[in-house]
Amino acid sequence: MKLKALIVDDEYPARKELRFLLNKFDNIEVVGEATNAQEALTLIKALDYSILFLDIEMPGMNGLEVGARIQELPNPPHVIFVTAYDEYAVKAFEVNAVDYILKPFDEKRLTQAINKIMKINQRQAAAANDSAKAGEAITTGGEQVAAKPQHIKIDRIPAEKQGKTILVNESDIIYAFTEQDYVYIKTFTDKLFTRFTLKELESRLNSTMFFRTHRCYLVNLHKVKEIIPFFNGTYTLIVEDNEKSEVPVSRAQAKKLRKILGM
């Protein structure tokens, strides 16, 4: 099945070039173009796009603001930023961007970005398939018997360290965070790579312990040592790892945190 793509760029030559390159991919179908943020948001709300190729420098609302806005949607498209400016890379991944491609476009680089999205979709499809199989009927002794839904849940998260996969105890996780286009788990002493997205970790981990403080951070509230007020209604959390790391809390999440803690 082809992935529906939307190109958002205020420059017609850039849209034309990107559409030309994307037409070479059998698994991508460009079904829309927008010249500004408002057009893009209108189209995204009207159709379930799989991929959003998003410019940053546009008149009015910029691409970073669009990326942040669509994260509030129930099923946001994967975002690949396409821009002539490299200084926005860090901010781009703060809005859960899958990749960041510089203009002029390189077909090989574009292929790498699309392959990332395909791998994410494959993982999500496999997880959904496993869940569906758990509820399917099974045959026992020639009779069809409805299988009991499997609700197996372990408090371990697979992560990688020095080429080995280790299972991290949920209670040992201090926080999880994104760095560029990768997700890491921080324990007391280690920084471990995980193949889960931050959103997937949030759904797997105990919601009574873990709180999404920021688009790029998921923290174990049982491991928070200090809460320091920052500017504009935000906070910085000091956590109980070896480095006494600082975890940011966005203004929107600060309100939720205060309610949880009764502050």
Side-chain angles (χ1 to χ4, degrees):
M1 183 177 67
K2 291 189 176 184
L3 302 180
K4 294 182 175 64
L6 173 66
I7 298 173
V8 184
D9 198 311
D10 62 319
E11 297 180 351
Y12 173 73
R15 297 198 308 274
K16 182 179 179 181
E17 180 187 4
L18 184 53
R19 178 184 280 271
F20 172 77
L21 291 174
L22 291 174
N23 283 339
K24 298 181 180 181
F25 292 84
D26 294 334
N27 54 352
I28 302 294
E29 180 184 9
V30 178
V31 295
E33 292 185 11
T35 61
N36 58 59
Q38 292 301 330
E39 286 182 9
L41 291 172
T42 299
L43 290 172
I44 292 167
K45 292 176 182 178
L47 182 66
D48 287 332
Y49 292 93
S50 302
I51 309 177
L52 179 61
F53 293 93
L54 182 59
D55 188 22
I56 291 181
E57 289 286 354
M58 297 185 294
M61 186 186 301
N62 66 35
L64 294 171
E65 293 174 294
V66 175
R69 186 79 66 87
I70 66 173
Q71 296 307 312
E72 301 171 1
L73 301 176
N75 187 31
H78 299 298
V79 175
I80 296 176
F81 281 104
V82 286
T83 177
Y85 306 92
D86 60 2
E87 63 264 31
Y88 298 110
V90 173
K91 291 183 178 180
F93 291 111
E94 289 180 359
V95 294
N96 290 336
V98 173
D99 213 331
Y100 188 96
I101 299 177
L102 292 176
K103 300 175 183 177
F105 302 116
D106 178 79
E107 189 172 343
K108 182 178 179 181
R109 185 68 185 84
L110 189 60
T111 301
Q112 292 174 346
I114 291 173
N115 285 341
K116 285 184 183 180
I117 290 178
M118 298 304 296
K119 289 178 181 178
I120 292 172
N121 286 348
Q122 287 169 4
R123 287 204 306 267
Q124 293 174 342
N129 187 50
D130 289 343
S131 177
K133 285 182 178 179
E136 288 178 353
I138 61 174
T139 301
T140 304
E143 295 183 1
Q144 193 177 59
V145 181
K148 294 182 179 179
Q150 296 182 16
H151 298 292
I152 298 174
K153 179 176 174 59
I154 61 172
D155 58 351
R156 299 289 192 276
I157 298 296
E160 296 182 18
K161 180 180 180 181
Q162 298 177 346
K164 297 180 180 180
T165 298
I166 62 174
L167 298 179
V168 185
N169 194 314
E170 193 176 68
S171 61
D172 290 335
I173 298 174
I174 308 293
Y175 63 96
F177 65 103
T178 60
E179 187 174 86
Q180 295 185 358
D181 53 346
Y182 299 105
V183 177
Y184 296 91
I185 287 173
K186 185 66 174 68
T187 64
F188 185 77
T189 56
D190 293 323
K191 172 185 172 182
L192 307 170
F193 170 74
T194 177
R195 297 188 182 278
F196 292 107
T197 65
L198 208 59
K199 185 177 292 186
E200 289 170 340
L201 282 178
E202 187 176 11
S203 66
R204 286 177 64 98
L205 293 170
N206 188 339
S207 60
T208 64
M209 294 170 55
F210 288 86
F211 177 68
R212 187 75 171 264
T213 63
H214 187 278
R215 294 190 190 94
C216 297
Y217 287 86
L218 179 65
V219 68
N220 184 346
L221 291 179
H222 293 192
K223 302 293 185 179
V224 175
K225 185 177 181 180
E226 297 179 42
I227 302 176
I228 302 174
F230 205 45
F231 72 94
N232 203 22
T234 62
Y235 290 111
T236 295
L237 305 181
I238 308 300
V239 296
E240 296 179 341
D241 61 352
N242 193 43
E243 299 85 2
K244 300 296 184 290
S245 299
E246 297 182 358
V247 175
V249 183
S250 68
R251 184 169 62 177
Q253 294 304 92
K255 296 178 182 179
K256 297 179 183 179
L257 182 62
R258 287 196 297 268
K259 186 175 181 180
I260 291 172
L261 298 177
M263 295 172 61

